[in-house]
Amino acid sequence: MNDSATEVDELLLRQLLREQHPDLAGLPLREVAGGWGNQMWRLGEELAIRVQRMDAGPDLQLKERRWLPALAPRLPLPVPVPVRDGAPTEHFAKIWTVMTWVAGTPLDHGALTRTEHAAGTLAAFLAALHDEAPADAPGASDFGAHPRDCAAGFDNFLHAVDLGHLADAEGRIRAVWDDAVTAPPWQGPPVWVHGDLHPANVVTAEGTLTGVIDFGALHAGDPAWDLAAAWVLLPPGGAPHFFAAYPPIDEATMRRARGLAAMKGLFLLLMGQNGDRGLPGGKPHWAPAGRAALTRVLQDTPGC
């Protein structure tokens, strides 16, 4: 039970609930497909349990417990809010958290068909999130660095993936990244940044965005890490609508955001290809999402 990739089952979760939150132990419980650093279980109609899986330590869940209750009330989309803490026991040596359930279909299993509405919704959410963070907010890690500090990762992704029909565009993808690497850093105060906006971390209904989940990469820093979502999440043509609705940004931030979108597209593609090869952690349905993001990066180039 102490392995870094621990899986839990319903029997164990019910035992943990009986021991620590007996008033919740009788609610219906079912595992939710997906998850990477954490395993998710739906608890009744309004709650979910987030259980450490691949995360090596408790820090990411502790960060969500600390900050999401303060951020959620001012955000225009639902986000998971921790409501009960689960402590390690002799039966399970990791932490777990009961959170509010965010209804909807994850975008990696859904679609955005109302492009302008989704773009405006994403812009409103990020404009509200990107407020100046307090001095004790968590700092950036690999999620949040300037593109120049992520160059090795970008190179590894680019060399590892099969670009398919985009193979002839490899030079253009590299040019977008090189432009981001040379862009000046963020000049404003550190703002709240989700940090990991990709198709599995937003939910949809009726063709538009209806919620944002998984704030394990939450930090104070450069909003470009979230602005990359204009290309990573939205359908073709969505990025110009997004930037028209989001507060004006400087050219350097646009350059960093576009480069980071290229890197995120390569990451999605790599994860998808790992799934096709049967490698651990692979998600085959992410490969088309990655290629689509790269195509949008090359085609949708809004002004500042």
Side-chain angles (χ1 to χ4, degrees):
M1 280 295 178
N2 292 318
D3 184 78
S4 62
T6 298
E7 297 290 323
V8 302
D9 57 20
E10 181 178 351
L11 185 64
L12 174 59
L13 274 185
R14 289 208 181 277
Q15 181 178 1
L16 294 172
L17 286 168
R18 284 194 298 269
E19 292 173 352
Q20 299 185 38
H21 302 288
D23 59 314
L24 303 179
L27 292 174
L29 185 65
R30 64 176 178 84
E31 186 176 4
V32 179
W36 180 266
N38 294 275
Q39 190 178 10
M40 293 292 294
W41 291 73
R42 189 165 183 183
L43 180 64
E45 291 298 314
E46 299 180 353
L47 299 173
I49 304 178
R50 191 161 165 81
V51 186
Q52 272 186 261
R53 172 188 269 160
M54 296 301 295
D55 288 350
D59 291 352
L60 302 187
Q61 273 199 46
L62 292 176
K63 178 167 55 176
E64 291 182 324
R65 291 181 184 179
R66 166 69 177 85
W67 294 106
L68 283 178
L71 290 173
R74 62 178 180 80
L75 298 176
L77 287 176
V79 301
V81 179
V83 294
R84 304 280 187 94
D85 296 345
T89 72
E90 61 178 331
H91 308 297
F92 184 67
K94 299 183 178 183
I95 71 168
W96 48 283
T97 306
V98 180
M99 313 182 83
T100 56
W101 173 256
V102 178
T105 302
L107 181 55
D108 61 335
H109 291 285
L112 296 176
T113 55
R114 298 163 59 193
T115 301
E116 290 190 38
H117 190 280
T121 300
L122 180 62
F125 177 84
L126 291 181
L129 176 63
H130 292 165
D131 196 13
E132 183 173 350
D136 58 341
S141 58
D142 54 340
F143 291 96
H146 189 283
R148 65 170 172 261
D149 298 320
C150 305
F154 177 87
D155 288 339
N156 289 339
F157 294 160
L158 186 60
H159 294 151
V161 301
D162 175 8
L163 289 172
H165 69 277
L166 290 175
D168 292 340
E170 180 176 342
R172 294 168 60 203
I173 295 170
R174 163 68 69 179
V176 169
W177 176 254
D178 289 345
D179 185 52
V181 167
T182 60
W186 172 242
Q187 300 297 315
V191 300
W192 281 115
V193 179
H194 179 284
D196 196 22
L197 289 174
H198 61 69
N201 285 345
V202 297
V203 296
T204 68
E206 299 181 351
T208 191
L209 291 171
T210 56
V212 179
I213 59 177
D214 195 343
F215 283 75
L218 180 71
H219 66 273
D222 179 1
W225 274 82
D226 285 350
L227 300 179
W231 295 278
V232 175
L233 300 180
L234 298 173
H241 290 296
F242 170 87
F243 286 105
Y246 185 85
I249 63 171
D250 59 90
E251 179 187 6
T253 300
M254 180 72 76
R255 291 163 60 192
R256 294 192 308 278
R258 192 167 169 235
L260 290 167
M263 183 174 71
K264 288 169 181 274
L266 291 173
F267 170 76
L268 291 170
L269 183 51
L270 179 61
M271 292 292 291
Q273 291 175 181
N274 282 350
D276 291 337
R277 299 168 187 150
L279 297 177
K283 298 180 181 292
H285 55 293
W286 284 15
R291 285 198 182 90
L294 291 168
T295 298
R296 294 189 291 265
V297 165
L298 297 177
Q299 293 179 349
D300 290 354
T301 54
C304 297

